[in-house]
Amino acid sequence: MRRKTKLFLILGVSSALYTCKEDIQIDTPGITSYQTAEVAYLGDSIPLDITIKGEYPINTIKATFFRNGEQIAESIIPAKEAGSYRNRLKIPFTKGIADGPAEIQLMVKNKNFNYSTVMVPIQVTRPKFPYLTLKTAYGNYRMEPVPGESYKYAVSAAFPNTKLNALIEAPAYGKNGNTLLFGGTEISAYATDKDSIPFQIVRAPGTVFTVSFDTRSFEGSPFLKPAFGGIDFPNFVNSIAVIEAEFKQNQSISLDGILDIANWWIDPSFLSNNGDGSYKFRATDGKYRITAHQALKYFKIEPMQGNMLADFDPISKTGAVWINGGIGDQAGSSPAERFGIPSATTNGALWNPEKNVAMAPLGNGIYQIKLIAGQNLFLSNVSGSTAGIAFYQNSRSFDNYFALNLVQTLYGNPGQPTSAGGSARFELKTASGNLSKGAPIISTGSNRSLGVNRTYVFTLDTKVSPAAVTITLE
């Protein structure tokens, strides 16, 4: 009885497998004919007529553009069944491609993922437009071909602004051509109306200057190199670039060539806003290291002595004063990131001497730093939590800390100079733990909010001993 049962099972499985085989349709679609252009300009939309055969439902018709064996672009033609289709294929307008032969691969694939392909040779040429149009907020300007340079166009004019956000439009070229817009911070050929090119030059508004563009290399001008106070940064390496130069107190500082400068944090300790896009250098005359951080979006400004970062000179009261901080005398339940430039969360100092922050030397032994609550100084509004900062004489160590005398703090809300205003916002304490080497610290009061976005100014007078700390609210 058991043997008969097994035999029936085997016969049943065989029958099921045979039925499944019958249901599977083994079919390879084919391309029976096609017609398209043999010669095209970059940027063209060329006609394509294609006829396909196949019993099984069609999944897709794909056209892929190759140049020197490299895939440049592809497009899809909607299809569901065998038959004839008509569409237009866009020949991509890309930089650097020389005139010459290319290939279009036509592929038809069915729902069963069986496919056939045909390679279609085509000759491509870069168009030489009769003109380009520079499209700005101040109007359109005609760019003429530059003699002797096949793909370069230029226009000279007294543009109303030296920051000239613009698009460049190329007219349709030939019978299959399309109008093209060039734009973007990294220029490409298929921009949108919002994707402008940020041309910029250092000139007085209304001064004549030339805007140029090459439709082969996609190189344009003028563009400013990233610069601080007229000094160009070298090329960025790992999003960082450094200059070391002499600057003068009250010198006007321009920040050029950084396209997203509106998103950068500008250190108010060293730079005060002039209101016209430039800044005033607040620190004393001397040599400074300026480090531009593209990832963190800020300039780190540090005093130098010769080729090294400056230390404090206790005799002349010159050089640099360095601060660090983090958890004050109470850890509480708040995050550890309590102090850091440009922000406590993105670049917390965390009592790491390698992240010491320079105060701005204002002269006559006075040093100053401005910290913003909720940004680079923790709010201290979590029960049992404090943020603290200490003052040191060495650029990258905690070897020599300043003894402190807190001569003026702030009381009440938002902050008054006398105790009649309520409890103190800041207190003089000693740092807990070994990280800060037991330095005297200015600590925020436990469970006392400093008020989000308030700017606190810490001024250190090193001419007296212990050094006098004054805190004011800007």
Side-chain angles (χ1 to χ4, degrees):
M1 186 71 177
R2 183 175 295 174
R3 292 182 63 186
K4 286 184 179 179
T5 303
K6 286 183 178 179
L7 180 60
F8 286 135
L9 285 172
I10 292 169
L11 289 173
V13 169
S14 299
S15 175
L17 288 173
Y18 180 77
T19 304
C20 289
K21 267 190 171 181
E22 286 290 302
D23 289 342
I24 295 174
Q25 299 182 38
I26 305 300
D27 175 62
T28 299
I31 300 172
T32 58
S33 67
Y34 63 87
Q35 185 174 357
T36 188
E38 296 179 355
V39 176
Y41 292 107
L42 294 179
D44 276 2
S45 290
I46 60 174
L48 171 66
D49 291 303
I50 184 170
T51 300
I52 58 176
K53 66 176 183 177
E55 298 294 329
Y56 204 62
I58 299 300
N59 177 283
T60 186
I61 303 172
K62 183 190 295 185
T64 307
F65 182 81
F66 289 90
R67 183 74 167 84
N68 295 329
E70 179 186 357
Q71 178 177 326
I72 305 299
E74 68 178 25
S75 58
I76 302 296
I77 301 172
K80 292 184 178 180
E81 58 187 19
S84 296
Y85 294 87
R86 174 169 291 183
N87 211 313
R88 300 188 77 85
L89 298 180
K90 180 170 283 188
I91 305 300
F93 197 106
T94 54
K95 67 179 180 180
I97 292 180
D99 297 349
E103 292 178 317
I104 297 173
Q105 181 192 70
L106 300 177
M107 172 189 289
V108 56
K109 183 167 59 176
N110 64 18
K111 298 283 187 180
N112 225 16
F113 300 105
N114 296 314
Y115 65 91
S116 295
T117 61
V118 171
M119 299 301 291
V120 182
I122 187 171
Q123 195 76 12
V124 293
T125 303
R126 186 175 298 275
K128 294 182 179 179
F129 302 105
Y131 64 91
L132 301 178
T133 301
L134 184 73
K135 301 172 73 68
T136 78
Y138 315 105
N140 294 340
Y141 299 82
R142 184 179 172 105
M143 304 180 72
E144 301 290 351
V146 175
E149 301 194 48
S150 299
Y151 303 103
K152 190 172 184 178
Y153 301 78
V155 58
S156 298
F159 297 104
N161 201 320
T162 56
K163 292 184 177 180
L164 196 67
N165 291 328
L167 289 164
I168 293 176
E169 183 180 83
Y173 192 86
K175 65 179 182 178
N176 295 317
N178 296 295
T179 300
L180 296 173
L181 278 180
F182 297 89
T185 54
E186 295 183 3
I187 303 174
S188 64
Y190 297 99
T192 68
D193 288 340
K194 298 178 181 179
D195 200 15
S196 58
I197 304 169
F199 292 111
Q200 188 177 1
I201 192 171
V202 177
R203 295 279 179 86
T207 303
V208 174
F209 64 92
T210 299
V211 175
S212 67
F213 179 66
D214 189 301
T215 59
R216 179 171 177 175
S217 65
F218 290 12
E219 293 177 356
S221 70
F223 293 117
L224 294 185
K225 290 191 66 176
F228 184 98
I231 301 172
D232 290 345
F233 284 100
N235 292 334
F236 282 80
V237 177
N238 296 326
S239 297
I240 291 176
V242 179
I243 59 173
E244 296 175 352
E246 298 281 340
F247 295 94
K248 292 187 176 297
Q249 194 168 39
N250 297 323
Q251 174 183 342
S252 180
I253 300 292
S254 60
L255 306 175
D256 298 314
I258 297 177
L259 302 178
D260 60 345
I261 192 64
N263 299 324
W264 283 50
W265 183 79
I266 308 300
D267 191 341
S269 305
F270 284 88
L271 299 171
S272 60
N273 197 328
N274 289 330
D276 60 357
S278 67
Y279 296 83
K280 181 174 70 176
F281 195 74
R282 301 183 69 239
T284 55
D285 298 1
K287 186 177 181 181
Y288 293 82
R289 176 181 293 171
I290 315 296
T291 305
H293 287 258
Q294 284 182 322
L296 293 175
K297 297 186 185 303
Y298 86 111
F299 300 98
K300 180 167 65 176
I301 305 175
E302 300 172 300
M304 299 187 70
Q305 183 65 46
N307 295 323
M308 305 292 291
L309 292 175
D311 291 329
F312 180 73
D313 185 335
I315 304 300
S316 64
K317 314 301 182 187
T318 60
V321 173
W322 304 84
I323 70 171
N324 207 302
I327 293 174
D329 63 319
Q330 300 178 72
S333 57
S334 64
E337 300 84 357
R338 305 190 189 179
F339 165 75
I341 303 295
S343 81
T345 53
T346 62
N347 194 34
L350 300 177
W351 297 112
N352 176 358
E354 290 299 316
K355 290 191 174 184
N356 282 355
V357 175
M359 299 184 78
L362 302 184
N364 196 31
I366 303 298
Y367 296 80
Q368 195 174 85
I369 190 166
K370 299 182 180 184
L371 300 176
I372 303 171
Q375 295 184 28
N376 36 49
L377 183 64
F378 182 66
L379 284 171
S380 298
N381 59 355
V382 177
S383 180
S385 300
T386 61
I389 58 175
F391 301 76
Y392 298 93
Q393 299 184 32
N394 299 93
S395 62
R396 292 293 184 263
S397 78
F398 293 161
D399 291 339
N400 297 297
Y401 55 74
F402 284 87
L404 301 176
N405 177 26
L406 182 54
V407 297
Q408 181 178 312
T409 186
L410 294 169
Y411 299 86
N413 187 8
Q416 300 179 25
T418 64
S419 60
S423 58
R425 302 294 94 187
F426 298 91
E427 300 170 334
L428 179 60
K429 295 187 176 182
T430 300
S432 60
N434 296 321
L435 290 178
S436 58
K437 296 193 174 181
I441 62 170
I442 304 300
S443 176
T444 58
S446 174
N447 199 30
R448 298 172 192 165
S449 177
L450 298 180
V452 66
N453 293 331
R454 291 177 184 155
T455 299
Y456 291 88
V457 182
F458 295 77
T459 303
L460 185 75
D461 185 350
T462 64
K463 300 189 301 299
V464 296
S465 183
V469 180
T470 300
I471 306 172
T472 55
L473 189 63
E474 188 170 83

